[in-house]
Amino acid sequence: MAVSRLTVFEFRKVSHTFGENAGALVLEDISFEIREGECVGLTGPSGCGKSTLAQIGAGFVTPSRGEVLVDGRNLTSTPSRAVALIHQELDLFPWLKVEKQILFALQKADTSRAKELISLVKLSGFEKYYPNQLSGGMKKRLALARGLAINPKLLILDESFSSLDSNLKYDLYRDLRLIWEKTKTTILLITHDSKDLQSLAHREVKLSAGKPTRIVEIVEMPAL
Ligand SMILES: Nc1ncnc2c1ncn2[C@@H]1O[C@H](COP(=O)(O)OP(=O)(O)OP(=O)(O)O)[C@@H](O)[C@H]1O
Ligand SMILES: [Mg+2]
């Protein structure tokens, strides 16, 4: 499973403190890069700062120190849709049907692309359903399609499937693997459970438990 050597995304010496001077240092000196088409897993115990790093990677939070680079350029100077973040709560619009959610993300009336994305996440036939008419797993797949719709340089999944029972969770990781094979989307997969990475990730970035959080090690995963 060849991955390009081209770096598309990089955390460079990122440190973060919430609040003004008095705040505690949450993340310290986080540096790693993600290559084009690669899936990197990010793991660490609850509260260590994974979601904070996801928010920084998506440009929603500015790090106290360090930089985020997309294609070698600071995230603040790259198009706002360069990174897609899907978190646990999904943020689906309750008032929009499946197809409309995708069209909204596409920002144009490209129904054939919407159809393609809906089929990619196995939601064909459910175009006219509202989110509350979908199962938990289907909602996750809709969120995935919405993330992919913007054709991001990097797709960040922050514990996106964690709330599901384990069978459904592993089904979704398998689906994500198949989607990755078709799209070769560059992915940062965040989870507290390293087992979630088994069928997908090329490398695992492990964060420490003690504060401030640092990278413990970066492990190459067995060839997929
Ligand atoms: N907006 C905020 N203001 C102040 N502190 C915050 C804020 N968001 C997160 N924190 C703190 O930063 C630390 C890291 O939180 P974060 O949510 O990033 O951890 P996490 O690794 O994603 O945890 P989990 O596995 O439970 O999702 C925690 O101590 C948390 O209380
Ligand atoms: Mg989190």
Side-chain angles (χ1 to χ4, degrees), residues 145-202:
R146 231 178 45 165
L148 291 166
I150 69 169
N151 211 9
K153 289 277 176 186
L154 177 71
L155 178 67
I156 305 179
L157 299 169
D158 183 8
E159 308 260 14
S160 307
F161 307 150
S162 296
S163 60
L164 301 171
D165 75 61
S166 60
N167 282 341
L168 195 52
K169 185 175 82 165
Y170 289 118
D171 282 353
L172 274 161
Y173 279 120
R174 242 191 320 277
D175 286 346
L176 182 60
R177 165 73 200 249
L178 295 175
I179 289 169
W180 178 85
E181 280 170 8
K182 285 185 191 147
T183 61
K184 292 291 149 70
T185 304
T186 308
I187 298 173
L188 179 62
L189 187 56
I190 299 177
T191 171
H192 57 273
D193 187 354
S194 298
K195 282 206 294 294
D196 293 349
L197 305 178
Q198 274 167 6
S199 62
L200 194 64
H202 299 91

Side-chain angles (χ1 to χ4, degrees), residues 45-52 54 87-88 158-159 190 192:
S46 183
C48 77
K50 301 181 297 299
S51 295
T52 303
H87 38 78
Q88 209 167 332
D158 183 8
E159 308 260 14
I190 299 177
H192 57 273

Side-chain angles (χ1 to χ4, degrees), residues 90-101:
L90 304 181
D91 296 335
L92 298 172
F93 303 122
W95 61 90
L96 287 185
K97 293 175 184 172
V98 166
E99 188 185 33
K100 286 276 165 58
Q101 307 252 356

Side-chain angles (χ1 to χ4, degrees), residues 26-100:
V26 175
L27 294 165
E28 183 169 42
D29 205 21
I30 305 291
S31 294
F32 65 93
E33 82 294 330
I34 305 178
R35 297 191 285 267
E36 189 176 40
E38 189 180 26
C39 174
V40 170
L42 179 72
T43 59
S46 183
C48 77
K50 301 181 297 299
S51 295
T52 303
L53 208 49
Q55 300 277 335
I56 291 172
F60 298 139
V61 169
T62 305
S64 311
R65 269 184 285 138
E67 297 185 277
V68 179
L69 303 174
V70 178
D71 283 342
R73 287 193 299 163
N74 199 294
L75 184 62
T76 51
S77 58
T78 54
S80 61
R81 284 154 61 92
V83 180
L85 171 61
I86 304 175
H87 38 78
Q88 209 167 332
E89 292 79 25
L90 304 181
D91 296 335
L92 298 172
F93 303 122
W95 61 90
L96 287 185
K97 293 175 184 172
V98 166
E99 188 185 33
K100 286 276 165 58

